[in-house]
Amino acid sequence: MRKAVAVPLSVLGLGVAGVAYASIVERNSFRLRRFDVPVLARGQRPVRILHLSDLHLTPRRTMLINWVRSLGALEPDLVVNTGDSIAHPDAVPSLLHALEPLLRRPGLFVYGSNDLYAPQPKNPLRYLWRTSRNERRQHTPSLPWEELGAGMAAEGWLDMNNTTARVKVGDLDVAVAGIHDSHISRDRYDLVAGPAPADADLRLGVMHSPEPRNMTRFADDGYQLLLAGHTHGGQLCIPFYGALVTNCGIDRKRVKGLSRHDSSWLHVSAGLGTSPYAPARFACFPEASLLTLVPRR
């Protein structure tokens, strides 16, 4: 007969405290990160892009809703939402309320898988050996993604799922190409493929999941700045080590923040939310990012 292993109360207490911190404190400690991106031609005036991603909003997340509303005071020149905005069938009115001050600014959006399919309980440990790509058991979207898109588009934000556009951002003429979520194989890069307009002041690529195969095509086509989300920055990280997983093809070192991909700048947002079935963050604060585009040296 095996002997029962006693767990010291101090160890149990630390575990409980860690779970409480991750699910109550850090999950609701929203941060605004700031980056300068040297991507403009000499003589061009700086512009600011507010990058939002992965709110995974449910109607009762009042603290998150109010914090996003407060970002309107930044008065960015452009807002880019890289998807996974909702996590509940009734969340669209709450999301539009959260975004209301920002919907007055020029904006772009793409969808993530969780804008279409409701979250489901999963074992989080499986992310250590595989991603969740294409594992959806649902065949018909269960979240009101059309209502979500219509609500943002009605206020003037551009739907950039597998399409291109030109938009005025401050003094800049910006060429934008966007794709739907590669995580559920809805990305259609061929629909936006080809050299980015050479006469644009800035060429911007937008996607939900930062898959290297798509990022390389954006870079090869001349897009100078790429924006993505999806990774949650690893969500549960180890201090002084970082993310354990990215849940996509990008490497751990670029799981969040500003980096390079070939000839392009890449910004991956760690996002603001979590799945309702994994409501915790550790060593990876929820975030939005304010990118100030400045002239190259």
Side-chain angles (χ1 to χ4, degrees), residues 9-221:
L9 290 178
S10 59
V11 174
L12 183 61
L14 284 174
V16 171
V19 170
Y21 167 79
S23 60
I24 299 174
V25 179
E26 186 164 324
R27 178 174 174 250
N28 292 300
S29 297
F30 311 112
R31 306 291 175 87
L32 179 68
R33 302 184 76 194
R34 297 173 184 263
F35 298 92
D36 288 347
V37 189
V39 71
L40 302 182
R42 291 182 180 180
Q44 290 180 329
R45 295 169 61 179
V47 298
R48 299 185 304 159
I49 297 177
L50 179 63
H51 183 187
L52 304 176
S53 198
D54 297 88
L55 276 74
H56 292 275
L57 193 66
T58 54
R60 295 185 179 181
R61 291 217 59 195
T62 304
M63 292 179 65
L64 175 55
I65 291 168
N66 290 339
W67 191 83
V68 172
R69 286 183 63 84
S70 75
L71 297 175
L74 297 171
E75 298 187 342
D77 298 292
L78 177 70
V79 184
V80 178
N81 176 3
T82 50
D84 275 5
S85 297
I86 57 175
H88 190 279
D90 299 327
V92 171
S94 298
L95 179 76
L96 295 178
H97 176 66
L99 294 177
E100 181 188 11
L102 296 168
L103 289 170
R104 303 167 191 162
R105 317 297 300 181
L108 316 169
F109 66 92
V110 292
Y111 296 126
S113 61
N114 286 285
D115 293 319
L116 283 73
Y117 301 103
Q120 297 176 329
K122 299 173 184 175
N123 176 8
L125 293 179
R126 64 184 174 70
Y127 288 114
L128 293 174
W129 62 83
R130 58 170 294 182
T131 74
S132 58
R133 186 173 186 266
N134 285 332
E135 69 173 18
R136 298 272 167 188
R137 297 176 182 175
Q138 306 171 66
H139 299 289
T140 303
S142 53
L143 290 178
W145 63 275
E146 292 174 305
E147 179 186 351
L148 167 67
M152 291 186 285
E155 300 298 328
W157 282 17
L158 299 182
D159 180 342
M160 296 307 305
N161 290 284
N162 298 326
T163 192
T164 60
R166 299 288 281 261
V167 61
K168 188 74 171 177
V169 180
D171 293 333
L172 302 183
D173 173 29
V174 179
V176 188
I179 53 174
H180 206 307
D181 190 7
S182 59
H183 214 61
I184 49 174
S185 298
R186 289 189 175 231
D187 54 320
R188 301 289 184 270
Y189 193 89
D190 286 346
L191 296 179
V192 303
D199 60 341
D201 296 317
L202 174 70
R203 295 171 290 279
L204 176 66
V206 183
M207 70 204 89
H208 177 65
S209 181
E211 290 294 344
R213 60 181 173 82
N214 283 325
M215 296 190 301
T216 296
R217 295 190 72 179
F218 274 118
D220 288 347
D221 280 343

Side-chain angles (χ1 to χ4, degrees), residues 269-284:
S269 173
L272 283 163
T274 66
S275 166
Y277 295 106
R281 281 181 176 256
F282 190 79
C284 187

